Amino acid sequence: PALAFLLTLPGITSLQGVLKHSWSLCKSLFAKGKYRDCLAVLDKQLPAAQVLYGDDHPEVGASLNSIGIAHEGLGDYAKALEYHERSLAIRIKALGDDHPDVATSMNGIGKAHFGLRDDAKAL
């Protein structure tokens, strides 16, 4: 329903437009520390990305990574770890081991382990 509403906004003419708008909104919310609000957007954005691109697309990996970051901001490191690991699997499959987005997901995994006080895995 919320994504359908976004399609009614001026300048938003496609599902890709909705996804682009939701990314912009989340960046703003992240900058303000409004992680719960960002999660509300991302929880609707992820299924749209999966429909548009398929489950194994890098955009879906990016969505999962962003959800992980939001959970980190809320202090839910176990949930963050889950999303960063899913993001990493997609990114490795789609982009290869040496892509910078793979490193971003690995960094998220390390930060989640650090938050969980599992220093050995954080390294």
Side-chain angles (χ1 to χ4, degrees), residues 13-59:
T13 59
S14 68
L15 191 52
Q16 285 176 318
V18 169
L19 296 176
K20 183 178 177 183
H21 179 74
S22 65
W23 281 124
S24 297
L25 177 58
C26 277
K27 286 179 188 178
S28 174
L29 293 169
F30 275 149
K32 296 175 183 177
K34 295 184 175 186
Y35 302 109
R36 196 167 310 283
D37 292 341
C38 187
L39 273 177
V41 173
L42 290 170
D43 283 343
K44 293 173 181 65
Q45 190 265 357
L46 176 61
Q50 290 170 315
V51 167
L52 185 61
Y53 299 113
D55 290 337
D56 295 329
H57 193 276
E59 290 293 333

Side-chain angles (χ1 to χ4, degrees), residues 72-96:
E72 286 171 28
L74 294 170
D76 189 348
Y77 298 105
K79 193 66 116 171
L81 180 61
E82 174 188 331
Y83 282 97
H84 286 307
E85 287 176 338
R86 288 174 58 195
S87 173
L88 178 63
I90 290 169
R91 287 173 160 178
I92 287 174
K93 183 177 178 182
L95 304 170

